[in-house]
Amino acid sequence: MNAPLPLRTTPPLTEAFLAALTARFADQASTAQAVREHHGRDESPFPLTPPDAVVFARSTQDIADCVKLCAAHAVPVVPYGAGSSLEGNFLAVQGGVCIDVSQMNAILAINAEDLTATVQAGVTRKQLNEALKDTGLFFPIDPGADASLGGMSATRASGTNAVRYGTMRENVLGLTVVTPAGEVIHTARRARKSSAGYDLTRLYVGSEGTLGVIAEVTVKLYPQPEAISAAVCTFPSVDDAVATTIEIIQMGVPIARCEILDANAVAAVNKHDQLTLPEQPMLLFEFHGSPASVREQAETVQAIAAEHGGGHFEWAEKPEDRSRLWKARHNAYFALLQMKPGCRAVTTDTCVPISRLAECFRETVADCERLKAEHGIPYGIVGHVGDGNFHVLMLCDPDKPEERDWVEAVNDRLVQRALDLDGTCTGEHGVGLHKIDFLVKEHGDATLDVMRAIKRALDPQNLMNPGKILRL
Amino acid sequence: MNAPLPLRTTPPLTEAFLAALTARFADQASTAQAVREHHGRDESPFPLTPPDAVVFARSTQDIADCVKLCAAHAVPVVPYGAGSSLEGNFLAVQGGVCIDVSQMNAILAINAEDLTATVQAGVTRKQLNEALKDTGLFFPIDPGADASLGGMSATRASGTNAVRYGTMRENVLGLTVVTPAGEVIHTARRARKSSAGYDLTRLYVGSEGTLGVIAEVTVKLYPQPEAISAAVCTFPSVDDAVATTIEIIQMGVPIARCEILDANAVAAVNKHDQLTLPEQPMLLFEFHGSPASVREQAETVQAIAAEHGGGHFEWAEKPEDRSRLWKARHNAYFALLQMKPGCRAVTTDTCVPISRLAECFRETVADCERLKAEHGIPYGIVGHVGDGNFHVLMLCDPDKPEERDWVEAVNDRLVQRALDLDGTCTGEHGVGLHKIDFLVKEHGDATLDVMRAIKRALDPQNLMNPGKILRL
């Protein structure tokens, strides 16, 4: 919804606080305008909303000391990973100190024999996979951006591989968290399962910094598949591509990736990456397994696609061909942004049960086509359709506020549609500033009251990323 | 730990409360001694601890009305599913009303095309699978006992299939919960993934009735595998069986079940089920997939087993042979109990990272052998070794309290060993009464403080299954 940002009700930082901050953090702390502005904008269309100061944490102790100092002076705390969030998740609407964990980039342990790794929160997914290269293992969660593991945990991220490997919800084994009081807690040990008390791991995964700051993350790893094969297939219509996806999932094919690009997204990618993909709705697949299993999956999927008018499969088996293909997919966001330079994107993120995906998709495309015809708003659709999750990118000119209103109206209708279909307003981007009212619609007031009670109990001063997820 | 049960500090039910309970619930409420006693003992060795009254709920509204009435009179509430818990999870240490949900046994929806089902909390896993028979789908979580889905959610249960399909943590999509104030909340819709706010689903999964009463459960379903094959293989030593398991997991074989029985458990099962299995350490396997994939998995596993001295595989491919095999596995608990009739079992439940399993197992077997040699305590070991989780059953005579002390000392040492190996005190049975002190050891005080803050915020009167999981 295109509500104005909440009014800032907190005072500016005091001299006393700044002096204490500098005494503890020296040049790890900054109030320089450029630094603050760099931490004041994400990939959402919200206006620049910088924090009052930035602390570059280098250790869990740094975070704990910073949080304690902020708690003592009633200063808000906003955690910052790689800055790739999409819903205003880290915008400092109440000012305060942004704790940037990007320098906490140590890989603390790779326990290859247990298929786990423990990293500092600032380690990015690409960095982790680079470090795993010679172990025969990999970390599958891939939200597109080279996000930090801390940020991915905080927003319960997922992406292209989730259809097979799950999301951060399923793949975080344990967290080290700095609580709002500045205490360092460990939510779980490394056993693959446990019934030992409340699942604080899962409570902090997706809490977007509102209950504490994630300092370390232990994740599950997977053996690199013996065989990997990727393919693209074009379809006469988006409907056909979606119908193919639904059948693949319902058949139980253990597909590793099943992504959609509509014709607009394919055109944008062609232009951005100098490719010559046919500008039609397209599914991108990836198959993981033994050579026999990959062959079997591919045959099943080709047969299903053919029934829905799918064209020939174009295969990418060599690692460099596969990475070119997925690079193109990952570039879709930036490629679509360049359909109209200078614009910002509103990105939708609904997710519905797979049986309702065709309906959700069809009505949304009709809405977007109307938006384009009536107001000339460019749009494109990409999505993790195997999970029932897709993103519409709609571009709006920041100098024409009415465009944002039109675009948000389409998003509002999409969210309502997804909720009516038993789905969610956000599959993987989180609530941030953008979905606060949708969250109430999705869960109802009684459920929100439980979330509010937890927030108040754990963060009684409301200093942890205030104004996000919930209104108190 | 063999601590005495906490002292009851609550008054008996008042006449006014009982009158109100009868007015609302008529013959759905009972204070008959036989009914109370039936709800006062689980499979743990704790003494009979009956509630003051039992309400047989038939609907979510029944639960809500009962909880509201109890809240108004400050009466504790204890939920009860199938009564199969192992750690004293539902013993009414503070009296109060036991809400028995076993009559809430309606299957509310099977959304076959979305691979989900929604059931009332009293539906058991066998009942659900019976209802799914003609859909081509199944619900994999199998804790052995025919537990209720509500109870399985509340203890974060898992069992034999978890190595492939995960636990209740991964397989509950959403819950309908009655909060301590008697409000009915829904924790999530049916989308397969969501970043919509705090993960209340995962908070309630494993909360053992201490934060509210689970009334309805939506779970993930899976396509019945095209091919299923089961096999048993005996090993010269427990060490060899464990080494085989570790290698299977580290190779990433997508095995569906990988269970151990030590020689004592095999002997007990032979006697109980009139079987003639060789009385040696044994692994039980199950493979799911396409015929080709099952063949491939089986070949890999046979090769690994052979390297560790494993004997010939005995195959069970026909459904009736497979069910005989798994029935024997599931009967192991009762078979072991009958090693010494009249005894009660202390069942351990540690879970460690797979690389530490051999060490954990070896030292535990040595402890148990000493226990047997010195005090004549019979024991047997079964386990979900693919997850690093195993159970030692040790039998103690309720008339000889010193036996319980000896047995608990072995469990104490095992838990400490598991914690030292980065594992957990409970893989799947929950904390109940038995692991309250272990939980503090496992997580530390600061983490427990976060759990306590959540408990106090959501249940300020401490009426929901008081005395379990946490000491306040």
Side-chain angles (χ1 to χ4, degrees), chain A residues 113-114 155-156 158 189-190 193-198 202 210 250 290 296 355 419 423-424 426 442-443, chain B residues 113-114 155-156 158 189-190 193-198 202 210 250 290 296 355 419 422-424 426 442-443:
Chain A
E113 67 288 11
D114 293 322
T155 50
R156 204 180 294 133
S158 50
R189 289 164 183 250
R190 285 196 308 112
K193 61 183 201 181
S194 171
S195 289
Y198 303 153
R202 250 51 58 181
T210 64
Q250 289 177 351
S290 67
E296 210 169 46
S355 70
L419 298 185
T424 178
T426 169
E442 177 164 339
H443 292 303
Chain B
E113 66 288 13
D114 293 323
T155 50
R156 205 180 293 133
S158 52
R189 289 163 182 250
R190 285 196 307 110
K193 62 183 201 182
S194 172
S195 290
Y198 303 152
R202 249 53 55 181
T210 64
Q250 289 177 350
S290 68
E296 211 170 45
S355 70
L419 298 185
D422 221 358
T424 177
T426 169
E442 178 163 339
H443 292 303

Side-chain angles (χ1 to χ4, degrees), chain A residues 234-254:
Chain A
T234 54
F235 290 83
S237 74
V238 159
D239 258 20
D240 293 311
V242 170
T244 301
T245 304
I246 292 173
E247 215 168 302
I248 292 167
I249 299 304
Q250 289 177 351
M251 292 271 294
V253 179

Side-chain angles (χ1 to χ4, degrees), chain A residues 113-115 155-159 162 167 169-170 173 179 183-200 202-208 210-211 220 223 249-252 290-293 296 351-356 384 387 389 419-420 422-431 439 441-443 446-447 450-451 453-455 457-458 469-470, chain B residues 113-115 155-159 162 167 169-170 173 179 183-200 202-208 210-211 220 223 249-252 290-293 296 351-356 384 387 389 419-420 422-431 439 441-443 446-447 450-451 453-455 457-458 469-470:
Chain A
E113 67 288 11
D114 293 322
L115 312 175
T155 50
R156 204 180 294 133
S158 50
T167 72
R169 178 173 76 191
E170 286 81 21
L173 265 183
T179 70
E183 297 282 337
V184 177
I185 65 166
H186 307 286
T187 62
R189 289 164 183 250
R190 285 196 308 112
R192 283 184 91 73
K193 61 183 201 181
S194 171
S195 289
Y198 303 153
D199 192 344
L200 298 186
R202 250 51 58 181
L203 180 64
Y204 277 102
V205 169
S207 65
E208 300 185 27
T210 64
L211 302 177
K220 292 188 193 172
I249 299 304
Q250 289 177 351
M251 292 271 294
S290 67
S293 150
E296 210 169 46
C351 183
V352 297
I354 196 85
S355 70
R356 323 303 294 270
H384 318 304
D387 288 317
N389 180 214
L419 298 185
D420 292 343
D422 221 357
T424 178
C425 66
T426 169
E428 55 182 17
H429 295 166
V431 177
L439 196 73
K441 274 200 175 182
E442 177 164 339
H443 292 303
T447 304
V450 173
M451 294 190 195
I454 292 169
K455 167 73 174 171
L458 300 189
I469 299 186
L470 302 163
Chain B
E113 66 288 13
D114 293 323
L115 312 175
T155 50
R156 205 180 293 133
S158 52
T167 72
R169 178 174 75 191
E170 286 80 21
L173 265 183
T179 70
E183 296 282 336
V184 177
I185 66 166
H186 307 285
T187 61
R189 289 163 182 250
R190 285 196 307 110
R192 284 182 90 73
K193 62 183 201 182
S194 172
S195 290
Y198 303 152
D199 192 346
L200 298 185
R202 249 53 55 181
L203 180 64
Y204 277 103
V205 169
S207 65
E208 302 186 25
T210 64
L211 301 177
K220 291 188 193 171
I249 299 304
Q250 289 177 350
M251 292 270 295
S290 68
S293 149
E296 211 170 45
C351 183
V352 296
I354 197 85
S355 70
R356 324 302 294 269
H384 318 304
D387 289 316
N389 179 214
L419 298 185
D420 291 344
D422 221 358
T424 177
C425 66
T426 169
E428 55 181 17
H429 296 166
V431 177
L439 196 72
K441 275 201 176 183
E442 178 163 339
H443 292 303
T447 304
V450 173
M451 295 191 195
I454 292 169
K455 167 72 174 171
L458 300 189
I469 300 185
L470 302 163

Side-chain angles (χ1 to χ4, degrees), chain B residues 18 48 51 95 105 125 135-136 151 153 227 233 243 342 397 399 402 425:
Chain B
L18 282 168
L48 185 70
N105 59 1
R125 64 174 185 91
T135 62
S153 302
C233 178
D397 185 335
D399 296 331
E402 67 278 15
C425 66

